[in-house]
Amino acid sequence: VSGLRLDPGEKTQDYPRALRMFISLDGQNYTEMKPETDDNLEFFIEPAACRYIRLITGETQESLENDWTICEVSVYTVQ
């Protein structure tokens, strides 16, 4: 995986804030990936092998007080 894009659909303001991204090969041991952007909808990382992706919202006040919507997730890979 080299990145992902979150599509909030018609709810353009309902995106997750301070989202954290973790990847794993076995579904048990996860490594946090630091995206190369501050964008809340597109995340690009150093390419890495994975089978599972876990997304967790940060604990900022804004992320805890607001709902968020993801209609579709696109995962980018490098061939």
Side-chain angles (χ1 to χ4, degrees):
V1 67
S2 61
L4 59 92
R5 182 179 194 300
L6 307 177
D7 181 357
E10 295 178 7
K11 310 254 184 190
T12 57
Q13 297 303 310
D14 290 349
Y15 56 85
R17 275 78 170 169
L19 194 68
R20 296 170 61 199
M21 178 181 173
F22 298 82
I23 63 171
S24 172
L25 287 170
D26 61 10
Q28 300 294 317
N29 301 297
Y30 284 85
T31 300
E32 184 169 8
M33 303 304 290
K34 301 291 184 185
E36 298 172 1
T37 179
D38 291 331
D39 191 322
N40 286 302
L41 296 176
E42 279 194 314
F43 302 86
F44 296 100
I45 59 172
E46 186 69 32
C50 77
R51 185 171 182 172
Y52 303 92
I53 299 173
R54 178 178 286 169
L55 303 174
I56 299 174
T57 58
E59 296 183 14
T60 64
Q61 192 64 28
E62 186 179 19
S63 74
L64 296 174
E65 292 178 350
N66 293 293
D67 294 333
W68 55 279
T69 302
I70 297 176
C71 293
E72 186 172 318
V73 176
S74 299
V75 178
Y76 302 123
T77 61
V78 174
Q79 302 260 336

